[in-house]
């Protein structure tokens, strides 16, 4: 029985390492400083129809900008929802809120993209824009952030709140002086995880926020951007061009590095919070 | 983290007010896309106040975007349909900037096993599922991997019209459907039994274009044969310019038609119009 | 959430109105001939999910058991870390791996016309939900107090019996959450599937043939979203696909909630 289980578990044990290893190895030829700083010129190196340039700077900045916008939009709302949950919601409202958040978390992101396409790109005439991408991604990460914030607040020992009330602090003061300081590691963890998530979503932004080329730095919030995720997608369709393949793996590595950075930070933060 | 992002946004807002950059978007055919992308860059180097963003999606998307007004320039690798033309008439110009051939491509292994020319009838039979194995045509004993394209792609329209009779005809024998030219090129180059449809600029060592038999003569999918009109599956590459476009946009289109622009067309592999 | 639903229903209403709900099992999708059968995509999605679960559930569960019962503590944390890293890989990157690693392998092993098929989609999906499965199962197993294990030992059970009779039943709620979460993820995954599944809108012939290119709901939306003119029937049909996806996701989520009694993520 044990042997059987071990055999079955072997793929799961080996795969993480294998995947990472493979990705980095494949990316090796293209991993150099030119990756970030190099020019984005499309195709003139080979005079052919490839879409692989050399530099990824505009893609990286595009992804990061959208992530930043999404977090800026979602974080305050998530915080308000959590505060509502902690302060004013009745038990049945609390249950319903959590249920709704769970459901929203489960909806495929592309559905959010579709709705964003109708509402933001067409009806509101924002066009394909950073703003639309930011809002859609914000909606995608909102349930995650809210659940996280709610749980962070719930973890505060009740005695702290009680003593604060006994001391005569107003609600606002309780929030500012007692809750936030106690809960901030948990909330920041959630924020970091949400950032990692926002960096990896591709489908919703493919037709609502990104273009193929032409943008180095968006000149307004209503301008389209390029992003790492969609760039990888375009490159994925060019497997016959060795350079494109290298660039794709390299872009994947860069994206991974960013995502891993946020995830690891979240993990360390969680450890720190648990040890406090 | 939050502070940094606020700073980023502020910097961006500042940079907005610092320059009055015009930005137009060009959307549509992936066949025209390489020309547009390279021309946009060259033009931007000369006129930094105009940025052209380029996206793919296919000819269908290009024409639809112009009709809806979501893009400033549309790219298509096929003629407009009567319905589309009705919506464009009067306020959008249809400008041809290049021509190319839609090559019927096969994998290298197929080409080297002897299949180097096919008649329209044979190609149609393959795509309708009547011929399923390369050996029926004198090649290796392998099943044919028939690569069809998404129905809205310009390349497919042209191909279907010339080979199957109507631009929206079905290909019952299709094994797989690909999207952009790049994707199809990848699939063909990675297999040893594929047939597909690609612009001639995408031909390379792994992806070979077969000659098309017309009246007994084998016509290769080359620029010369497009120029003299003998290749049956050829088309113009179109740009759609709305009448109410800005002066910069019109200037850019003129650039595409100028000597420099047409040199880019040639560089990519298409036939220039001048 | 209600806003979302209203949107989807409203946008796809023209479609439903003109064609009726029977389109759910109409089998031809060819927009140019005004045929909008959803059946091929629905079957494709279902198959991909099934295959993914079939691979990921046993492996994930086994990995969790091995990790929490057999391996020493340090190895456990490393494995956990590895799994969390795996969970963080964006879906496009999985698409890359699928496209350039898995597909040629499939093509060669099964001597297929092309590696683009439902099996490939299912395998890539299983790779994506494996971490979820393992982490949730592991958490569930860890929650079982150590006294249970000792009591089982004292009763004379051997290792397998203890596992099957004591530990697994107790951990079942957590494991079930993992399964439902995994189902939800594989339902909604777009990018990796889009690159790998072949996008051929045909019901597999015969219906259990997973080695042929096919289509899933998410892949179809992803591919045709850019080209459907806003407001056209094609667009409404795509919205209808989105609606089906959303409804399925909501049902899965409600199911998970009802059973798990508020399992904390």
């Amino acid at each position: 029985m044990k042997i059987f289980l071990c055999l079955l578990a072997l793929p799961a044990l080996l795969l993480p390492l294998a995947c990472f290893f493979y990705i980095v190895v494949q990316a090796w030829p293209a991993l150099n400083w030119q990756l970030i700083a190099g020019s984005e010129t499309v195709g003139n190196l080979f005079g052919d129809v490839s879409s692989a340039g050399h530099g990824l700077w505009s893609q990286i900045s595009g992804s990061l900008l959208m992530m930043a916008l999404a977090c800026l939009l979602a974080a305050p709302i998530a915080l308000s929802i959590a505060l509502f949950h902690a302060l004013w919601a009745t038990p049945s409202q609390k249950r319903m809120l959590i249920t709704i958040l769970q459901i929203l978390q489960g909806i495929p992101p592309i559905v959010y993209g579709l709705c964003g396409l109708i509402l933001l790109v067409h009806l509101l005439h924002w066009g394909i824009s950073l703003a639309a991408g930011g809002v859609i991604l914000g909606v995608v990460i909102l349930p995650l952030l809210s659940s996280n914030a709610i749980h962070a607040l719930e973890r505060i020992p009740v005695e702290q709140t009680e003593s604060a009330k006994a001391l005569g602090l107003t609600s606002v003061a309780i929030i500012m002086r007692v809750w936030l300081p106690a809960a901030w590691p948990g909330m920041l963890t959630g924020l970091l995880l949400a950032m990692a998530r926002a960096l990896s979503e591709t489908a919703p932004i493919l037709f609502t926020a990104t273009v193929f080329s032409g943008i180095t730095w968006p000149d307004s919030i209503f301008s389209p951007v390029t992003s790492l995720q969609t760039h990888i997608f375009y490159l994925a369709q060019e497997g016959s061009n060795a350079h494109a393949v290298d660039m794709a793996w390299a872009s994947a590595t860069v994206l991974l590095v960013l995502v891993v950075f946020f995830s690891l930070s979240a993990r360390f933060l969680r450890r720190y919070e648990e040890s406090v | 983290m939050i502070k940094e992002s606020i700073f980023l946004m502020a910097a961006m807002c500042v940079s907005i007010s610092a320059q009055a950059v015009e930005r137009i978007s060009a959307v549509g055919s992936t066949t025209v896309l390489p020309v547009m992308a390279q021309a946009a860059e060259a033009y931007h180097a000369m006129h930094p106040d105009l940025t052209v963003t380029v996206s793919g999606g296919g000819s269908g998307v290009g024409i639809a975007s112009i009709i809806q007004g979501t893009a400033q320039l549309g790219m298509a690798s096929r003629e407009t349909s009567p319905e589309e033309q009705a919506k464009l008439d009067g306020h959008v110009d249809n400008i041809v900037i290049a021509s190319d051939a839609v090559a019927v491509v096969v994998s290298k292994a197929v080409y080297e096993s002897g299949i180097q020319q096919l008649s329209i009838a044979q190609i149609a039979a393959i795509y309708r599922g009547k011929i399923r194995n390369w050996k029926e045509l004198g090649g290796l004993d392998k099943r044919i991997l028939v690569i069809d394209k998404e129905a809205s792609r310009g390349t497919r329209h042209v191909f279907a019209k010339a080979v199957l009779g109507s631009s929206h005809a079905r290909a019952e024998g299709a094994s797989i459907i690909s999207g952009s030219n790049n994707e199809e090129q990848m699939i063909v180059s990675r297999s040893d039994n594929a047939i597909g449809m690609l612009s001639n600029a995408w031909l390379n060592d792994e992806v070979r274009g077969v000659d098309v038999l017309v009246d007994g003569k084998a016509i290769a999918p080359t620029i010369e044969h497009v120029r003299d009109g003998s290749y049956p599956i050829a088309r113009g590459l179109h740009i759609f310019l709305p009448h109410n476009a800005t002066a910069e946009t019109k200037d850019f289109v003129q650039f595409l038609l100028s000597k420099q622009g047409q040199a880019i067309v040639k560089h990519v592999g298409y036939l220039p119009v001048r | 959430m209600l806003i979302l639903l209203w949107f989807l229903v409203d946008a796809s209403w023209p479609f439903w109105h003109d064609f009726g709900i029977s389109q759910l099992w109409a089998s031809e999708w060819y927009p140019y001939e005004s045929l909008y059968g959803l059946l091929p995509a629905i079957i494709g999605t279902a198959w991909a999910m099934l295959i993914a679960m079939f691979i990921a559930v046993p492996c994930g569960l086994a990995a969790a058991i091995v990790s929490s019962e057999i391996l020493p503590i340090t190895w456990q944390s490393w494995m956990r870390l590895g799994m969390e890293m795996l969970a963080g890989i964006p879906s496009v990157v999985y698409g890359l791996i699928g496209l350039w690693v898995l597909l040629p392998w499939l093509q060669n092993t099964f001597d297929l016309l092309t590696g683009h098929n439902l099996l490939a989609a299912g395998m890539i999906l299983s790779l994506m939900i494996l971490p979820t499965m393992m982490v949730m199962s592991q958490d569930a197993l860890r929650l079982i107090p150590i006294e249970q294990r000792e009591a089982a030992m004292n009763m004379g059970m051997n290792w397998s019996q203890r596992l099957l009779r004591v530990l697994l039943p107790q951990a079942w709620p957590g494991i079930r959450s993992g399964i439902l979460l995994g189902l939800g993820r594989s339902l909604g995954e777009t990018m990796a599937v889009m690159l790998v599944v072949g996008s051929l809108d045909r019901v597999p012939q015969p219906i259990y043939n997973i080695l042929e290119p096919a289509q899933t709901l998410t892949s179809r939306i992803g591919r045709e979203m850019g080209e459907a003119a806003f407001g056209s029937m094609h667009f409404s049909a795509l919205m209808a696909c989105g609606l089906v996806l959303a409804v399925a996701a909501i049902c899965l989520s409600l199911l998970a909630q009802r059973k798990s009694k508020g399992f904390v993520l």
Side-chain angles (χ1 to χ4, degrees):
Chain A
M1 178 73 165
K2 268 196 197 180
I3 316 278
F4 173 64
L5 278 179
C6 282
L7 275 178
L8 211 53
L10 217 50
L13 300 180
L14 294 176
L15 274 174
L17 219 58
C19 279
F20 276 99
F21 206 60
Y22 188 80
I23 295 174
V24 177
V25 161
Q26 290 287 82
W28 201 246
L31 282 177
N32 49 41
W33 275 119
Q34 255 214 321
L35 203 61
I36 316 277
S39 69
E40 233 206 61
T41 47
V42 281
N44 61 1
L45 269 181
F46 295 87
D48 66 357
V49 294
S50 153
S51 68
H54 264 305
L56 288 176
W57 172 240
S58 50
Q59 277 85 1
I60 298 178
S61 57
S63 291
L64 286 176
L65 275 175
M66 261 195 296
M67 174 196 83
L69 186 59
C71 290
L72 267 178
L73 289 172
I77 303 183
L79 193 59
S80 330
I81 294 183
L83 285 175
F84 168 77
H85 179 269
L87 286 173
W88 297 298
T90 64
S92 65
Q93 281 179 331
K94 285 190 186 185
R95 269 203 307 274
M96 213 175 68
L97 193 58
I98 302 237
T99 308
I100 292 187
L101 282 177
Q102 297 274 41
I103 294 181
L104 281 179
Q105 231 172 319
I107 294 190
I110 195 162
V111 172
Y112 291 125
L114 270 179
C115 292
L117 185 66
I118 303 182
L119 181 61
L120 303 170
V121 175
H122 285 298
L123 279 181
L124 285 183
H125 285 297
W126 281 4
I128 297 185
S129 58
L130 173 63
V135 170
I136 296 177
L137 281 181
V139 172
V140 169
I141 62 177
L142 186 62
L144 197 73
L145 271 179
S146 311
S147 311
N148 203 259
I150 290 182
H151 289 307
L153 282 180
E154 269 179 2
R155 276 202 291 269
I156 302 174
V158 180
E159 302 82 35
Q160 292 200 6
T161 320
E162 306 269 306
S163 345
K165 279 206 195 132
L167 284 174
L169 290 177
T170 63
S171 282
V172 173
I174 296 184
I175 298 175
M176 302 299 298
R177 301 265 189 101
V178 177
W179 283 359
L180 281 186
W184 77 262
M187 298 212 215
L188 200 53
T189 310
L191 190 63
L192 287 168
L193 285 176
M195 283 172 161
R197 177 88 193 261
L199 275 179
S200 11
E201 287 300 333
T202 322
I205 57 172
L206 190 58
F207 287 109
T208 52
T210 59
V211 289
F212 175 77
S213 77
I215 295 279
T216 35
W217 183 258
D219 43 63
S220 87
I221 208 170
F222 291 110
S223 137
V225 289
T226 56
S227 77
L228 267 182
Q229 308 96 297
T230 54
H231 192 64
I232 298 179
F233 174 67
Y234 293 129
L235 289 176
Q237 299 187 322
E238 289 194 38
S240 57
N241 178 347
H243 175 63
V245 172
D246 287 341
M247 283 305 289
W249 288 117
S251 315
T253 314
V254 173
L255 187 58
L256 267 182
V257 163
L258 285 172
V259 168
V260 162
F261 168 69
F262 286 118
S263 308
L264 274 181
S265 319
R267 197 183 156 93
F268 278 128
L269 205 53
R270 191 180 289 159
R271 285 265 189 82
Y272 160 74
E273 188 202 7
E274 277 166 13
S275 66
V276 164
Chain B
M1 262 296 132
I2 302 193
K3 278 196 209 142
E4 271 114 55
S5 21
I6 297 185
F7 178 68
L8 264 177
M9 305 296 297
M12 212 168 69
C13 297
V14 168
S15 63
I16 301 171
S17 39
Q19 349 160 264
V21 170
E22 182 186 345
R23 180 181 37 87
I24 62 170
S25 66
V27 175
S29 156
T30 55
T31 312
V32 185
L33 193 141
V35 174
M36 271 309 236
Q38 291 181 37
E41 246 188 274
Y43 191 79
H44 187 70
M46 298 188 315
H47 302 108
D49 53 326
L50 176 69
T51 313
V52 182
T53 67
V54 185
S55 331
S59 306
V61 179
I63 298 180
S65 307
I66 283 291
I67 293 179
Q68 291 167 31
T70 46
Q72 286 72 42
L73 278 179
M75 311 186 278
S77 60
R78 60 167 170 88
E79 295 290 337
T80 49
S81 71
E83 303 90 32
E84 288 165 343
Q85 194 54 42
K87 295 193 189 143
L88 295 172
D89 262 338
H91 56 100
V92 176
D93 284 329
N94 185 339
I95 304 171
V96 176
I97 59 160
S99 325
D100 82 330
V102 175
V104 179
V105 300
V106 293
S107 312
K108 184 171 166 185
V110 173
Y111 194 83
E112 293 185 343
S113 76
I115 311 271
Q116 297 178 1
Q117 44 183 262
L118 291 170
S119 71
I120 299 266
Q122 284 171 319
I123 305 171
I126 294 177
Y127 270 83
R128 292 214 171 93
K130 305 251 168 58
I131 301 183
R132 288 174 184 261
N133 195 310
W134 283 118
K135 69 170 185 243
E136 297 177 48
L137 292 166
L140 303 168
D141 182 10
K142 275 188 191 285
R143 277 171 43 220
I144 306 181
L145 175 65
V146 183
I147 308 180
D148 194 4
K149 263 200 179 190
E150 289 168 359
S152 76
R153 302 273 172 175
T155 312
R156 196 200 189 259
H157 269 235
V158 176
F159 179 84
K161 199 161 183 188
V163 171
L164 296 169
S166 111
S167 53
H168 291 154
R170 291 214 214 184
E172 291 89 359
S175 318
I176 190 175
I177 295 189
S178 71
S180 64
N181 280 314
N182 290 330
E183 197 180 357
E184 188 151 353
Q185 182 194 39
M186 174 179 73
I187 302 179
V188 173
S189 65
R190 280 178 180 244
S191 66
D192 58 0
N193 53 357
I195 183 171
M197 57 189 93
L198 278 180
S199 164
N200 67 310
W202 266 264
L203 297 176
N204 60 28
D205 186 56
E206 309 279 334
V207 176
R208 304 290 182 90
V210 295
D211 300 342
V212 177
L213 283 173
V214 178
D215 295 332
K217 267 189 4 168
I219 315 275
T222 61
I223 293 295
E224 289 70 38
H225 289 143
V226 175
R227 182 178 295 140
D228 62 24
S230 53
Y231 190 73
I233 322 179
R235 67 217 169 144
L237 300 179
H238 303 254
I239 297 276
F240 295 97
L241 177 67
H243 285 175
N244 59 5
T246 64
E248 269 86 16
T249 315
K250 295 188 178 158
D251 207 37
F252 177 63
V253 175
Q254 285 307 313
F255 172 75
L256 281 171
L257 292 167
S258 72
K259 211 156 80 150
Q260 220 178 336
Q262 294 290 296
I264 297 181
V265 166
K266 207 157 173 206
H267 188 54
V268 173
Y270 304 139
L271 177 68
V273 283
R274 307 265 172 90
Chain C
M1 179 182 75
L2 289 171
I3 309 178
L4 196 91
L5 273 181
W6 176 74
F7 250 127
L8 289 174
V9 173
D10 184 62
S12 54
W13 185 247
F15 172 70
W16 295 118
H17 183 72
D18 276 2
F19 286 89
I21 210 137
S22 67
Q23 284 297 52
L24 275 178
W25 43 88
S27 60
E28 303 266 3
W29 174 278
Y30 204 72
Y32 283 102
E33 295 180 19
S34 294
L35 285 174
Y36 296 109
L38 291 173
L39 192 60
I42 295 182
I43 295 188
T45 308
W47 265 121
M49 281 167 66
L50 270 172
I51 299 173
M53 298 310 290
F54 193 67
I55 302 178
V57 171
C59 282
L61 197 51
I65 296 174
V66 165
S67 148
S68 64
E69 306 294 321
I70 303 182
L71 292 179
I73 291 281
T74 37
W75 282 59
Q76 272 187 44
S77 352
W78 281 115
M79 257 199 66
R80 181 76 178 231
L81 186 64
M83 273 295 147
E84 286 185 6
M85 293 296 105
L86 200 63
I89 297 185
S91 44
V92 253
V93 180
Y94 279 118
L96 277 186
I97 298 181
L99 198 54
W100 290 337
V101 179
L102 188 61
L103 246 44
W105 181 81
L106 271 179
Q107 206 167 314
N108 291 330
T109 320
F110 291 103
D111 191 30
L112 295 169
L113 213 44
T114 167
H116 289 264
N117 52 39
L118 285 172
L119 181 60
M123 285 171 75
I124 286 292
L125 281 176
S126 72
L127 200 55
M128 284 193 258
I129 60 181
L130 194 62
T132 317
M133 218 26 240
M134 195 202 113
V135 165
M136 308 267 336
S137 314
Q138 195 179 23
D139 281 346
L141 281 171
R142 272 206 204 143
L143 276 177
I144 302 176
I146 198 130
E147 297 83 33
Q148 297 261 353
R149 296 192 174 90
E150 289 175 359
M153 294 275 267
N154 291 338
M155 286 206 297
M157 290 190 189
N158 66 22
W159 194 87
S160 330
Q161 285 176 321
R162 186 184 71 184
L163 182 69
L164 288 175
R165 302 247 188 113
V166 177
L167 297 178
L168 281 184
Q170 297 224 348
W172 177 238
I175 300 179
R176 191 178 46 211
S177 297
I179 294 182
L180 287 170
L181 267 178
L183 273 176
R185 175 108 196 246
S186 52
L187 174 71
E189 178 46 51
T190 312
M191 296 313 290
V193 174
M194 204 162 121
L195 285 170
V196 154
V197 88
S199 300
L200 195 61
D201 282 296
R202 268 206 298 247
V203 177
Q205 304 286 355
I207 206 154
Y208 51 83
N209 185 355
I210 54 175
L211 291 176
E212 263 189 15
Q215 180 76 293
T216 63
L217 284 169
T218 48
S219 161
R220 172 183 291 160
I221 297 178
R223 280 197 181 266
E224 300 187 17
M225 195 158 107
E227 64 189 49
F230 179 57
S232 73
M233 185 56 71
H234 190 182
F235 198 74
S236 289
L238 286 179
M239 285 304 187
C241 292
L243 186 60
V244 172
L245 272 178
V247 166
I250 293 179
C251 290
L252 268 181
S253 192
L254 284 175
L255 202 65
Q257 303 241 353
R258 191 166 304 177
K259 301 274 191 95
S260 78
K261 297 180 198 153
F263 202 93
V264 174
L265 256 156

